[in-house]
Amino acid sequence: MIEESAAHTLPHDPVAWCRDAWNDSSADSGCGAAEVPWSTPELSALAAMLAEVSAAPGRSADCLAQVEALEALKAAAAAAQVRVTAAYAARERTRLARVGARSVEPAVGSQLGLARREAPARGRFLVTAADALVHDLPGTLAALERGELTEERALLVVRETDDLDPDDRVRVDVALWHGPCAGSAATLGTEQLRDLVRRLTTEADPDAGARMARSRARRHVSGRMLGDGTGRITAVVRSEHYGPVMQALREAASSARAEGDPRTADQVRADAFVQRLTGLDPVAPRRIDLRLVLSLDSLLGASDTAGWVQGSGHLPAEVCRQLLGEAFDRQEVAVRRLFALPEDGQLVAVEQTTRRFHGLLAEMIRLRDGERCRTPWCDAAIRHLDHVVPAREDGPTAYRNGQGLCEACNQVKEAPGWTSWVGHAGRSPEIASRTSSGRTVYGRPPPLPC
């Protein structure tokens, strides 16, 4: 067991010290916990018991005590998930290697994502995080077990040390929980903890310059629709570019406000961002290709069922009617009828004879799947139109046998032992997949307005 000294002095070789302590750890170890073989039925019974918990009678302080205890329980459950995940990943890698799978890590992560009802990309990250916590960050895992850290903050430590080699990662972990920081690490706010881990990472990494170069190489732009008529665009840029970009946007806002522009400074900065990237004036009307799906009742004002815009998500019926009205006024609208089942909003089937999904068939599949990967809990954009039952197995190039998948899920689907088929829930098609580890999941597309 690792014991913290009164003076918080670090051992001469913290890496060997922590690894030796981890190998010899018992249930109360600072670097980990002994395995308790709870069965799946026992864990399910515990979950059922927790579902019946209600507020304790008496004072409000009693309710807060319950909240605190439940928070500690959540942390302990998260730590248990980490240990089980690391064990699963090791066993599944061995099994997939034995059967000759080509894409081992994507398959391991995707199956975990399905088990946790998370996107495959999130599943892959959680596998990596579990391996790091168990092998390189045992002090952080122990703090999660004790309820001193939330899962979010434990994963923060994982992310901030991601570029370190295993030994340097262990040094950061030891310094964080058994050095001078040990008394305060568990009480820091999220951003304070991030700053502390970054400082320790810089001190532990003899090659901080190379780590910074790797971080700068990962610059990127991402975005997501917020569902309220707006979208968020996030750019990770080089540090020397951050200042000039923000300064240019501030100057645009100051200039516009000085000239009496009625928009707020934030609105001007956002519009200037769009204009400088696209060359288009965000406040001037322009012709756009807008694919809007709206029920007939909503179009005529008899219903307020939300519409759906391809690539943008759902919009209120009133906003959809306004967009269509403006397009009709400019005589720039074409109407195409789509027929959906009234009980669940699923599009009806169409078929064609070629092996490629294209034209109207491809458009209908993308519309039905909402431009998102069909794998349950995956939010990635569609990159491939795929046969559920492969064409090589005589799967038809038909609407019911088509699905939109992201690139990663399409590759994982080809792993040995992974099979998919089309079932039915009522009159609507339902895609079922059995993973290479034997788990079966079912997924249906989002309903369209009807």
Side-chain angles (χ1 to χ4, degrees):
M1 178 173 68
I2 295 178
E3 295 182 353
E4 179 187 332
S5 67
H8 299 297
T9 57
L10 294 179
H12 176 68
D13 186 350
V15 176
W17 175 66
C18 191
R19 293 205 188 281
D20 289 344
W22 168 253
N23 291 333
D24 297 335
S25 64
S26 60
D28 60 349
S29 169
C31 271
E35 293 185 359
V36 179
W38 281 51
S39 67
T40 300
E42 288 172 329
L43 291 171
S44 299
L46 175 61
M49 291 172 61
L50 289 172
E52 298 177 357
V53 171
S54 58
R59 304 171 303 161
S60 58
D62 296 328
C63 294
L64 288 178
Q66 278 184 298
V67 170
E68 188 174 18
L70 288 168
E71 189 64 29
L73 186 61
K74 281 169 55 180
Q81 261 192 330
V82 164
R83 296 191 300 272
V84 174
T85 295
Y88 148 74
R91 296 173 188 177
E92 185 65 1
R93 289 184 187 112
T94 300
R95 191 188 68 80
L96 289 174
R98 190 167 56 246
V99 298
R102 289 179 295 177
S103 301
V104 172
E105 291 304 319
V108 171
S110 293
Q111 291 181 85
L112 181 72
L114 291 171
R116 289 193 52 154
R117 293 172 173 80
E118 299 268 17
R122 175 72 173 174
R124 291 191 290 274
F125 165 72
L126 291 171
V127 167
T128 302
D131 286 338
L133 286 165
V134 168
H135 301 296
D136 304 329
L137 300 168
T140 302
L141 177 56
L144 180 62
E145 291 165 355
R146 296 190 298 267
E148 295 177 5
L149 279 184
T150 62
E151 182 181 27
E152 174 193 2
R153 289 175 181 161
L155 294 178
L156 179 153
V157 177
V158 172
R159 290 190 184 95
E160 293 299 329
T161 59
D162 185 53
D163 286 323
L164 297 179
D165 63 39
D167 285 351
D168 288 336
R169 216 172 195 176
V170 170
R171 289 189 181 93
V172 170
D173 190 61
V174 172
L176 187 62
W177 300 108
H178 304 284
C181 307
S184 60
T187 61
L188 295 177
T190 300
E191 291 307 314
Q192 291 174 313
L193 179 62
R194 189 192 311 275
D195 290 341
L196 174 58
V197 175
R198 285 178 177 174
R199 176 172 69 81
L200 295 174
T201 297
T202 302
E203 294 171 355
D205 188 3
D207 196 11
R211 179 171 58 83
M212 181 175 291
R214 291 193 296 270
S215 296
R216 289 159 67 90
R218 289 198 295 265
R219 59 191 183 276
H220 64 278
V221 176
S222 61
R224 62 184 292 262
M225 299 303 301
L226 299 181
D228 58 358
T230 65
R232 175 178 290 123
I233 299 172
T234 302
V236 176
V237 300
R238 291 175 174 173
S239 55
E240 64 267 25
H241 296 156
Y242 170 81
V245 169
M246 297 306 296
Q247 180 63 28
L249 295 177
R250 283 192 293 267
E251 290 175 354
S254 298
S255 176
R257 296 288 290 167
E259 294 172 1
D261 194 308
R263 292 173 294 172
T264 66
D266 283 339
Q267 289 171 341
V268 173
R269 282 191 288 268
D271 291 342
F273 174 80
V274 173
Q275 186 170 14
R276 296 188 183 196
L277 282 177
T278 65
L280 302 172
D281 186 350
V283 297
R286 67 184 184 91
R287 179 171 179 170
I288 58 174
D289 181 13
L290 184 69
R291 300 186 177 189
L292 169 64
V293 180
L294 187 69
S295 71
L296 181 61
D297 286 343
S298 292
L299 175 63
L300 299 177
S303 168
D304 286 324
T305 300
W308 185 77
V309 176
Q310 189 172 5
S312 297
H314 289 88
L315 291 177
E318 181 61 33
V319 174
C320 294
R321 287 192 289 267
Q322 179 182 345
L323 290 172
L324 285 171
E326 294 172 354
F328 272 111
D329 290 341
R330 297 194 301 270
Q331 297 183 347
E332 295 177 349
V333 63
V335 177
R336 174 182 291 155
R337 291 182 297 172
L338 299 175
F339 297 92
L341 298 175
E343 62 267 26
D344 58 10
Q346 301 297 318
L347 285 178
V348 295
V350 295
E351 274 194 326
Q352 64 177 36
T353 57
T354 67
R355 291 182 56 179
R356 291 182 62 247
F357 295 99
H358 59 79
L360 180 59
L361 177 59
E363 184 175 343
M364 288 188 69
I365 291 173
R366 289 181 178 276
L367 285 171
R368 180 199 64 195
D369 293 349
E371 291 290 344
R372 298 288 181 182
C373 179
R374 188 67 182 272
T375 301
W377 306 295
C378 184
D379 285 329
I382 290 175
R383 290 289 180 267
H384 301 283
L385 296 181
D386 175 69
H387 292 75
V388 179
V389 178
R392 63 178 180 272
E393 298 175 10
D394 297 326
T397 304
Y399 178 70
R400 298 174 85 84
N401 193 49
Q403 62 178 343
L405 293 178
C406 68
E407 187 170 354
C409 288
N410 197 23
Q411 292 175 353
V412 168
K413 179 175 175 280
E414 300 302 317
W418 198 294
T419 59
S420 300
W421 65 93
V422 180
H424 297 276
R427 289 198 291 160
S428 301
E430 180 178 60
I431 294 178
S433 298
R434 182 172 293 116
T435 70
S436 55
S437 62
R439 294 180 58 85
T440 302
V441 294
Y442 301 89
R444 299 179 65 194
L448 287 174
C450 64

